[in-house]
Every structure is written in structure tokens, then in C-alpha cells.
Amino acid sequence: MVIGHECAGIVEEIGSEVTHLVPGDRVALEPGISCWRCSYCKQGSYNLCPEMKFFATPPVHGSLANQVVHPADLCFKLPEDITLEEGAMCEPLSVGVHACRRANVGPETNVLIMGAGPIGLVALLAARAFGAPRVVIVDVDEFRLSVAKDLGASETVKVSTNEEDVAGEVELIKKAMGESVDITLDCAGFNKTMTTALNATRPGGKVCLVGMGHNEMTVPLTPAAAREVDVVGVFRYKNTWPLCIEFLRSGKIDVKPLITHRFGFSQKEVEDAFETSARGGSAIKVMFNL
């Protein structure tokens, strides 16, 4: 099974009917191939297509390979001043962009982000690019919070893994925000993070569940519903690559600080890269250059 789904590369050959690309073009690849025939695809929600063929989702091979064959309409040409590494980062950034769209993040919404892992950090970058005036990010790890602060978080809040601490931590979050929490993006997806999100978000606000830490959760949904807190989910993304590329081109988003380690494609380097990623620590995004 070939893994990998965050990728960019150089066009080597094109099909006879491809008109917008030529060999030598540098492109970022959107890794999901939908059917374009089902009701979801026709309505524009192609990310929900039941026939989706997605890189590195069995039985579909991924992109950690010297060559891949991919539909031209899912290959997005990169401007000259955007690197292939930045192009590959369009995939995780797309998750943050789609979450911000689903939650209606904008210049009048203060955003809380649960989790400062890779997806929490791209959600932070996206929320800032969408104009959120204040973004507070929460995590259990001091290093990740320091990275979030460097990337533009208004404030950070270190929390525990103990669910009994939720009430006190909600107060710390509200104090850090200084105003009401309009939108919460839960980029972890655990009982505790979702409970915190529901309790911290203002009446009439919105919680967007992005992370999938727990398959099933027990959360205080009834009190949140009584305060008319909306809960929405996200699954991957749709129609995000052009906006991601524009954010990178314009300088509104800089993903380069998230790329913490780089490796080649020898057997030893591949093994070292996966060990580096598994250890965590200072590793955020580990990049292969083939």
C-alpha cells in the first residue's frame, strides 16, 4: 500500500485533451477523485461522494512515489514564487479553509481553536486569513502553543487532559479571549475538547468539529442546544485549492514555518522520516523531496 496524500510535483506528460497544463508545469494535487455523477457531486458537495477515490485510502494507492497519474482538473498550477513544498501544504491548509467556510469565520467572529497540532495550526492560519480579529488556541503541549503564538494566535491557553478541569478552563479561555467566543473549531475531537467547545462558545454561536479523536463521544449537547449553539461537521474539503494558492501567493498565509523536517527518498531516509514524525516533539510537518 503506497501512502501519502499531501503532494505537489512537476507535470511530465499530459493527456490529449488537457489544455491548461504543459509538461514542466509545477502543480499542487487535490488527492480525491469523485465520480461527478452522484447527487452529492451534482450539488457541489463532491467531498461527500460515496464513490470517492482518495490517495492512500485503501484500496487506492497514495502519492509517496516518483510518479502518479492524476486527473488534470485536480492539478492546480503553482505561481512561480510558490515552492513545491508550499504546494504540498495546500492539502492540510484546505482542511482549515473548509472548516472556516463551514463555520462562517470572518472579520466579526472571534475564534477559539481546540488543539494546536498540524490541523489546529492550519486552522489558525486560515482563521486569520479569513479576517478573524481574535484567535485563541488551546492545547496540552507548551511547545505547540509556542508555535501557535509565533504563527499569530492572539492568546494561548494550556489545559490538562482531566475532564474535571473543564469548568475552570472555560473561564480561562473566556478571559483569554476578552470577548465572547463566536466560533470554536475543535481540531482534536475528544470528549473533553468538545465539552470545552460547547461550554465556551457563546449562545447563538457555532462549534465546528474538525478532529476525529474519538469515534463516539458523550458531551453536554442539551445545554448547548438550549443556548442555540450550532454544531457542524467537516469532511475533508471542496473547492479549496485556488483559494489556498491565492493565500500563499498574496502572503496572507505562510505555511513554511510548519515544515519542520525534510528528507530524501532513500530507504533509510524514509524510515528516519517516519520515526521523526512518530516521535512528535518538535516535528509538525515532515516533508519528502523526491
Side-chain angles (χ1 to χ4, degrees):
M1 181 76 210
V2 179
I3 63 172
H5 64 274
E6 304 175 11
C7 58
I10 300 171
V11 176
E12 189 164 296
E13 294 181 29
I14 59 172
S16 60
E17 296 183 13
V18 176
T19 58
H20 71 290
L21 295 171
V22 297
D25 281 346
R26 300 173 317 114
V27 293
L29 277 64
E30 181 172 351
I33 306 171
S34 57
C35 76
W36 296 116
R37 296 184 303 274
C38 70
S39 61
Y40 297 104
C41 286
K42 288 179 178 179
Q43 292 165 9
S45 297
Y46 65 86
N47 56 315
L48 304 178
C49 174
E51 302 299 322
M52 176 72 77
K53 295 178 175 62
F54 196 90
F55 278 167
T57 302
V60 182
H61 285 303
S63 57
L64 187 56
N66 288 308
Q67 293 176 316
V68 295
V69 178
H70 206 53
D73 66 332
L74 296 174
C75 298
F76 297 86
K77 188 173 178 178
L78 295 172
E80 289 184 6
D81 53 350
I82 295 180
T83 66
L84 286 173
E85 288 189 340
E86 291 173 283
M89 288 294 292
C90 285
E91 198 282 338
L93 181 58
S94 286
V95 178
V97 166
H98 185 54
C100 286
R101 283 175 172 170
R102 285 279 287 154
N104 295 323
V105 172
E108 296 180 314
T109 55
N110 295 314
V111 177
L112 169 66
I113 297 175
M114 306 299 299
I119 295 301
L121 294 176
V122 293
L124 161 64
L125 295 175
R128 280 301 200 195
F130 273 72
R134 286 188 65 75
V135 183
V136 171
I137 193 162
V138 173
D139 201 278
V140 298
D141 185 88
E142 200 72 65
F143 172 74
R144 293 286 169 107
L145 290 175
S146 69
V147 173
K149 191 70 174 172
D150 291 341
L151 289 174
S154 307
E155 296 289 344
T156 62
V157 179
K158 188 170 186 287
V159 295
S160 74
T161 56
N162 190 342
E163 290 196 35
E164 294 177 1
D165 296 334
V166 166
E169 289 169 357
V170 166
E171 293 308 310
L172 291 175
I173 289 167
K174 289 180 177 178
K175 184 177 179 182
M177 185 66 78
E179 302 175 47
S180 61
V181 176
D182 301 303
I183 293 168
T184 301
L185 307 178
D186 183 356
C187 297
F190 293 105
N191 272 336
K192 190 191 174 198
T193 56
M194 198 61 179
T195 297
T196 303
L198 291 169
N199 287 335
T201 304
R202 67 163 175 82
K206 188 170 292 190
V207 173
C208 182
L209 179 56
V210 185
M212 297 181 177
H214 282 156
N215 193 45
E216 294 184 1
M217 294 190 227
T218 303
V219 296
L221 201 55
T222 304
R227 295 187 296 115
E228 294 195 356
V229 175
D230 292 343
V231 179
V232 297
V234 301
F235 186 63
R236 294 176 181 154
Y237 33 68
K238 59 179 181 179
N239 302 314
T240 52
W241 258 253
L243 181 56
C244 288
I245 291 171
E246 175 57 23
F247 278 153
L248 296 176
R249 186 204 63 77
S250 66
K252 278 192 171 183
I253 288 180
D254 181 8
V255 292
K256 293 189 291 292
L258 297 179
I259 306 168
T260 54
H261 297 76
R262 293 170 173 84
F263 292 88
F265 201 44
S266 67
Q267 180 69 28
K268 183 180 186 306
E269 285 180 291
V270 169
E271 291 176 8
D272 289 346
F274 280 101
E275 288 172 5
T276 298
S277 182
R279 278 197 302 270
S282 63
I284 300 174
K285 283 295 179 184
V286 178
M287 190 73 69
F288 289 102
N289 290 290
L290 280 60

